[in-house]
Amino acid sequence: MPIRTGQEYIQSLRGRKLTVYLFGELVKDPVDHPMIRPSINAVAETYDLAAREEQLASPMSKISGKHVNRFLHIAESAQDLVLQNKMQRKLGQLTGTCFQRCVGMDALNSLHSTTFEIDEKHHTSYHKKLLEFIKQMQEENFVIGGAMTDVKGDRGKAPHEQADPDLFLRITKRTKDGVYVKGAKAHQTGCINSHWIIVMPTMRLTEKDKDYAIVGAIPADAPGITYIYGRQSCDTRSMEEGDIDAGNSKFAGQEALMILDDVFIPNDKIFMDGEYEFAAMLVERFTCYHRRSYVCKTGLGDVLIGASAAISDYNGIPDVSHIRDKLVEMTHLNESIYAAGIASSYQAQEMKSGVWLNDDMLANVCKHNVTRFPYEISRLAQDIAGGLVVTMPSEQDFRHPVAGPLLKKYLAGRKGIDVENRVRILRLIENMTLGRNAVGYLTESMHGAGSPQAQRIQIARQMQLGYKKNLAKSLANVKENADETPENSDYFKRVFKIPQK
Amino acid sequence: MPIRTGQEYIQSLRGRKLTVYLFGELVKDPVDHPMIRPSINAVAETYDLAAREEQLASPMSKISGKHVNRFLHIAESAQDLVLQNKMQRKLGQLTGTCFQRCVGMDALNSLHSTTFEIDEKHHTSYHKKLLEFIKQMQEENFVIGGAMTDVKGDRGKAPHEQADPDLFLRITKRTKDGVYVKGAKAHQTGCINSHWIIVMPTMRLTEKDKDYAIVGAIPADAPGITYIYGRQSCDTRSMEEGDIDAGNSKFAGQEALMILDDVFIPNDKIFMDGEYEFAAMLVERFTCYHRRSYVCKTGLGDVLIGASAAISDYNGIPDVSHIRDKLVEMTHLNESIYAAGIASSYQAQEMKSGVWLNDDMLANVCKHNVTRFPYEISRLAQDIAGGLVVTMPSEQDFRHPVAGPLLKKYLAGRKGIDVENRVRILRLIENMTLGRNAVGYLTESMHGAGSPQAQRIQIARQMQLGYKKNLAKSLANVKENADETPENSDYFKRVFKIPQK
Amino acid sequence: MPIRTGQEYIQSLRGRKLTVYLFGELVKDPVDHPMIRPSINAVAETYDLAAREEQLASPMSKISGKHVNRFLHIAESAQDLVLQNKMQRKLGQLTGTCFQRCVGMDALNSLHSTTFEIDEKHHTSYHKKLLEFIKQMQEENFVIGGAMTDVKGDRGKAPHEQADPDLFLRITKRTKDGVYVKGAKAHQTGCINSHWIIVMPTMRLTEKDKDYAIVGAIPADAPGITYIYGRQSCDTRSMEEGDIDAGNSKFAGQEALMILDDVFIPNDKIFMDGEYEFAAMLVERFTCYHRRSYVCKTGLGDVLIGASAAISDYNGIPDVSHIRDKLVEMTHLNESIYAAGIASSYQAQEMKSGVWLNDDMLANVCKHNVTRFPYEISRLAQDIAGGLVVTMPSEQDFRHPVAGPLLKKYLAGRKGIDVENRVRILRLIENMTLGRNAVGYLTESMHGAGSPQAQRIQIARQMQLGYKKNLAKSLANVKENADETPENSDYFKRVFKIPQK
Amino acid sequence: MPIRTGQEYIQSLRGRKLTVYLFGELVKDPVDHPMIRPSINAVAETYDLAAREEQLASPMSKISGKHVNRFLHIAESAQDLVLQNKMQRKLGQLTGTCFQRCVGMDALNSLHSTTFEIDEKHHTSYHKKLLEFIKQMQEENFVIGGAMTDVKGDRGKAPHEQADPDLFLRITKRTKDGVYVKGAKAHQTGCINSHWIIVMPTMRLTEKDKDYAIVGAIPADAPGITYIYGRQSCDTRSMEEGDIDAGNSKFAGQEALMILDDVFIPNDKIFMDGEYEFAAMLVERFTCYHRRSYVCKTGLGDVLIGASAAISDYNGIPDVSHIRDKLVEMTHLNESIYAAGIASSYQAQEMKSGVWLNDDMLANVCKHNVTRFPYEISRLAQDIAGGLVVTMPSEQDFRHPVAGPLLKKYLAGRKGIDVENRVRILRLIENMTLGRNAVGYLTESMHGAGSPQAQRIQIARQMQLGYKKNLAKSLANVKENADETPENSDYFKRVFKIPQK
């Protein structure tokens, strides 16, 4: 029976044999660890939303013929891509953090077209196996993690050139039943909260890297996997008594290092094996989906704008013109991100396999704004919050019989405002601008789905300077042969494409 | 017979009895005036494009049952709005300037729903008359100007409070056949190049302003109209010999002051008369369309990026990393504008009258970016261009038997580059960043369709702080009554709306 | 015997009877508390620097006739103000955090001229008492804290209008020997690490606020004072084993809420009592000094630039052009802050009392840049750092016999780089951009010495629009009476003043 | 007898035999050319200021023992450099344009130390000849132009590698009396308004470029010189009737191409000849002075802020909060430039020759801000101005008997405001943001004294990453050998230098 609710999801995680290190100790059961639990809660919310808002989050899938969680759905139209974005924004609003499932969704969708095109060339059967896998996941309603980022070692060298061959995930052994892989994947969002994990190469490969050209699905608790939990700013506040200082006590993100030591992948779960020339295609399609998935951050932006509005209320100055103006600026920046994301989804195209792929130029523009605007929104939130956001005493002091009443007397704001509520909102702002969820709202906005320079390279590849130079030369009456540089992009074809009804 | 080509359009402008002042003199025929002609050429391009690219620029209209110029088309779907944007970008690319027809298009579309809703309330018949007018325009294939911006006088006062009642356009006399109007409309884009002009109120009106609540269509050469031509930076270069110094010798924009001295509007061309409470609706819907129409500037941006790439080529440094990086930044900013515009169009809704209206929040976000990014793109273009862009001698010096060869010797750049071509591209950059088309690319990007503060007000009205505060309070565990402030916006309803297939 | 070294300073703090709450408990001795100690170390560094670099940090004082710590020195020239800035930058470089002594220095300097001018008007003897107090402090070489910011309650109301009269510090009782004060001071930088604290009003006062117009010096351990320690992001990492995860294990800032419950100030330590009309002068002169004191942040900026350069080294990509370009941008922004600070100090003027006061316009410009540029520098540092900065496991995992070697294997970077050093630098970047010292580098840069809007108000007061309008009108040949608006600033007099040699 | 006033200066320019091309014709006498005259007026103002404000603009020179125009003065102290900046700001305020004399001043000052150091190495006598030349200039009170920027041809090639050897100025012939030079200098600010011109190499030279290593002084009307006048946006408005449309009818800048065809330099006017290894030193010192000279733009900024304040007044909305806020922002940016400039001057050092040289890092920071902030100030000015700034009719229309009264009726603003004055201020804003002086305020701010990338290179050379990495490693407890990279800058030595009284 499939998992139907957040509660059932949490239950499904219990009793697995995971090797997870945290603070130098093996974690008994992640579900019960107070520092890990908020990240599980965030994933659970993706189940509850699907149950609550079917049209938004539970589309009908052609693959299984059922309503499935959108995170397991293959996009059958541009509209499906747009609805991914809308669901992402909604979940960002509900959790104020990273809910960890976009990588899996984007991996499935990018594999859909890539496996199809590998099969087309190599007469392999990856696509069929993938569809079977997706169907199985949909029927169980599992969480899929996508493991792409290798640890990389010396960044100036290819996988096969590294001093240690394990610095990129690779096949170490083959049997008739499948392959064994070894290596490590860094910054693995939500990996411990996943049921299955799809490993994928992280960059363009050459023939000599053939053993690194492996894509396959593995249960998260497969033998040979070790997880080492990543620290986040203020993470241990989740382990303190009380629920105020954490800022957002219910929800958080999760990043871990995932080490694979000769982990087995059976043949029916292998979706690429050696077709190195398709690694770049897979990475590019994945990042195309994923850079636009950062629309989720506008949901977090909505929360932070709301918190800023609330604190200005509590401080008694909501209508001061410069405060209002800052809230407008925050909104403007937030919606600029949203706009680029959904524009990318709307300006999608159908791939040979039938899956839809959003526009790559606009996906990069979206993500590039994500590496800038949340920082400015965060700065403005701190401006509105006032200095108290970083000088408030601990919740224990508020609960202390002597210190508590002093704090309530002296931190009183506008009449009728409860001091504790004021503190709670300030702690939420701290959480999102300096604390645990600042990791997701800021630093992962910077580096997730590729650092800023990666977007600039991708924008550069698509900017069609030849096309544009010809426009300029025509208007300037420059008489010379038209620039014949072949363009490595068809962006303007997409821009000016007329959709057929 | 309808106008079919740019040439026929230009022909159609001849022989009209227009009163146009320019440099203190009456212009004999604008079509032949060298300073005016480039603006006519830009409009002509809208005809030629429609002929050349039917799907993009000549949709089938339900009203006349014919393919019509998109500038005369009522949007029958979100897709129609998206295609408006794509046509706008294309025309921006082709002309490098303002082609002057968006105001008319946006006026017709906003009147479509507004007249329908006036009729619904007041049992008037404006909508039917409007449809008749649109049909007639489609059949003749005319250019419509939209005249909204009154000269306004003292900005702290309502129309009826002004020292001079004519500072907003108003009805001065009524007969059984129609009304007479008096006043002046400022910054009238393309008015002299239009066949018909629709006058509209410029802001929210009250009962005392009833005589100002007038909408009607007037032939551009109606008795009583005086046009006084607006100057633009470097405008007289169009009157000099040669075609280099103008930068873009073929195309330019047009702005004029239009003075109406008891101009007659017959009953069948009146689309609002006294229903003052609908003035705000009309203005808001018009600006909603129009702020997103500024996607046209991304077409100009494409030209300027192309010119910058071309000059870096000519200078021999196209692959220098900081130059490349600036071209990427220009592209990123340009596409951020485009994304917000088409996102607004895609996230459209159908109005009662059947016309589609794009998203207002995103339209304002689009336009607000337009008040910023073209300035930065322009700054970067000047950076790439080098100082020569403002120190080059005149074309006449290049043609002079002594000075010319000296210039060719000393302004030689990379081998094989023709000095004149280098100069032409630099003059185009000057044209778009300081010269005649900088007016359109920069200053009108700032103020057209409302100055920046107007967008901020509109964003503020829609930012739904109550909704967002509740998100924050929920995550911060703030226990207090939910904020019950009624929201004056349903932006998030639009965001989370599931489209019905 | 005066305190001579950091060690002696730390010793001097022992055995005092301070009431300090932290995490709901009374702190036994702050000196030994692992979370407090780093803040004490930062102050200790101000002693060691003074011993090490006499010319920079130990000027000769006219008051005591001795070399004294510059933080206790009254500026006898513009050069003295410049050297304050240089010392501040140096200490920022050495500690990477807030060393907490600028408030005291700026308080003494602003009281120097203010008490002189009060005496001049009221024939009081505050100035003499102040000099005596300064001399005493110089002889003991004590740390002075300055307590200005009241908790303020309802920000729309004056002190005497508050529901609770204690929301601003006020005199509750008078005896022949002195006065008793009650109230609370928020965000008290380094208060627990100070020997003496000077209380001062926080804003312009009116006659009805007379009891709030009190300035006086109090020992930090005076009876009736309660301190409640402020939390900082990641503060408890200082209490964990190991020294890596803290990022900067040696140094940190300190902020606390200081509550005064009928604390006695003897007559000889009172420097204002009831002269409410001088409250504004004191606040303005204090903020004038203090806004320029934020040059200290350029020292922190130097550290963060250094850390970014180091990590790009470790990652093996120091010479990549976009990395280099970001380091240049960080430097440019950092030096822009420094420049405005020292320009303000250089463009100083002598006050009636003989103390020098830096330029107020430029001080505000300096601080206003401090509310912006460190955020951008921090964003760029995170960009350069890479995602690992927020996903690294804990130090305990690195020390674990199983997990540690796995981490060392898989987090290896460029050859020859020690993984632990890479981690240490990343933790320092985390510390300054999200962690404990981000509080000082970012949020206190925003709000310390006044939030951004406070600087804008002060810049507005000095921008001399009348003067500038006359410049414009003259060039535009506007014939009208010159604008006679009296200017409430003599900024341009200072700009164009010719120094007498 | 020396020139004493602006009028005498103008007189001194008459009757020279200059070969000047403009619009394809030889100019009879530049003094009487309506398009050239405003640039002469701007230089004349430097004379009048010197007469009016002796302390600011006429220091006592050790060289001639007389009060001399500061533009001819060798800086004898840091204070002298600061006063250069203050004079520059004042002249920017008075003229609203480029007054063209900074290049000459900065050339003399950089030659002072460079010739001294050449002599020291090569036992030449350039320094003495230079002093003699300066003395002569001071006695005649002449205007010196500095000609540095060669036309450069293919930017990827050294002077001696160019296809045409004349693309950098070079010696073509030697006689016992002197040398003959050939080549062309681009973007020559104020060259036609100068009495003497100093030619200098434009970049680092190698031994093979020995013939290009020439510095010498030439009368502006020396035989063999041809000037070709550079066009500026809206330049021909100076040739129209009336004084409104020019915006700033009295003052403008001047840029020309200067072509030298075997021009003779006598031995006593040669200050470098073949010492190629000193070319880089000369260029670096010159740009060090000159990048800080861009403080002049803050004077233009003052005018533009004033114009913006005036127009908001005329529009009746000076106290609207967003307008006020924009004026504050403009001021903040303007003063940030000023601060960096004077900070550079204050943090100066004495050179071996006795001249003072301002701080190079801060000079680059100043100029780099100049390539950004004036564009933003200009954008904000256009925002405040409103759309009318680019749609106003010509002055001739205002003077026309029919059109004029219509314009006055309909362009009326707030009561009591003269429409013509409103127009005049708008034309000034146009002049500075799009028109003739936008060339100086924007594009020359970008490229004068080196384009933005040139400053970034210079900042990079001085950013002392080794020093900063050591700071970071120390705080992060990184145990490794200190970074021993030799720093090619002593910036922090200057920062932490203690001035000796």
Side-chain angles (χ1 to χ4, degrees), chain D residues 223-384:
Chain D
I225 303 182
T226 300
Y227 300 92
I228 309 182
Y229 216 87
R231 291 211 72 165
Q232 296 181 318
S233 174
C234 298
D235 48 8
T236 55
R237 291 200 193 172
S238 300
M239 300 164 70
E240 297 177 2
E241 266 182 74
D243 73 329
I244 297 180
D245 290 4
N248 177 348
S249 61
K250 188 164 176 198
F251 299 117
Q254 173 182 89
E255 303 288 333
L257 180 69
M258 178 180 168
I259 297 162
L260 298 94
D261 189 14
D262 289 336
V263 174
F264 179 66
I265 314 178
N267 287 329
D268 67 315
K269 295 290 186 293
I270 293 176
F271 311 129
M272 176 191 293
D273 179 4
E275 297 81 7
Y276 61 87
E277 77 274 29
F278 284 90
M281 178 193 283
L282 176 61
V283 173
E284 277 173 27
R285 291 190 184 166
F286 172 76
T287 55
C288 179
Y289 286 117
H290 202 45
R291 287 181 187 168
R292 161 223 58 132
S293 283
Y294 275 76
V295 160
C296 66
K297 301 304 180 196
T298 62
L300 279 71
D302 292 327
V303 172
L304 191 51
I305 294 167
S308 303
I311 198 65
S312 70
D313 248 12
Y314 289 169
N315 290 344
I317 47 168
D319 298 325
V320 168
S321 72
H322 77 92
I323 297 286
R324 188 129 189 111
D325 200 57
K326 282 162 192 164
L327 292 168
V328 168
E329 184 65 18
M330 294 162 86
T331 302
H332 170 67
L333 296 174
N334 204 41
E335 299 299 340
S336 288
I337 293 170
Y338 171 72
I342 60 161
S344 172
S345 292
Y346 276 118
Q347 193 166 289
Q349 56 187 324
E350 193 176 2
M351 309 305 287
K352 289 180 186 173
S353 72
V355 68
W356 284 69
L357 179 67
N358 55 293
D359 189 274
D360 192 39
M361 167 67 96
L362 298 177
N364 278 282
V365 165
C366 172
K367 175 69 213 309
H368 206 50
N369 284 330
V370 170
T371 69
R372 299 175 172 182
F373 296 166
Y375 284 84
E376 178 65 4
I377 293 170
S378 165
R379 192 183 76 85
L380 291 168
Q382 289 199 351
D383 183 346
I384 293 173

Side-chain angles (χ1 to χ4, degrees), chain D residues 71-180:
Chain D
F71 287 104
L72 296 172
H73 181 57
I74 297 300
E76 299 173 3
S77 63
Q79 199 56 247
D80 261 343
L81 294 168
V82 171
L83 287 170
Q84 286 181 358
N85 281 153
K86 295 188 171 200
M87 174 183 70
Q88 287 160 332
R89 183 163 189 172
K90 174 69 86 176
L91 283 164
Q93 290 184 343
L94 292 172
T95 63
T97 190
C98 172
F99 36 88
Q100 311 150 45
R101 294 194 64 181
C102 301
V103 175
M105 174 174 75
D106 298 334
L108 291 180
N109 277 276
S110 47
L111 280 168
H112 193 276
S113 63
T114 304
T115 54
F116 187 93
E117 296 180 37
I118 300 177
D119 288 356
E120 201 181 41
K121 177 172 173 194
H122 290 284
H123 310 296
T124 42
S125 57
Y126 297 129
H127 190 65
K128 187 162 156 273
K129 290 195 285 180
L130 179 75
L131 292 180
E132 193 50 42
F133 174 69
I134 292 171
K135 192 175 169 195
Q136 180 187 347
M137 293 300 107
Q138 289 179 344
E139 277 167 1
E140 301 281 356
N141 199 11
F142 276 157
V143 172
I144 310 291
M148 184 170 265
T149 311
D150 289 290
V151 289
K152 292 195 187 110
D154 186 330
R155 282 155 195 244
K157 296 187 171 160
H160 72 277
E161 296 169 338
Q162 298 288 332
D164 180 344
D166 303 338
L167 292 173
F168 288 76
L169 188 83
R170 66 184 178 113
I171 295 171
T172 48
K173 197 168 58 171
R174 293 175 180 284
T175 69
K176 68 173 175 25
D177 298 324
V179 302
Y180 290 81

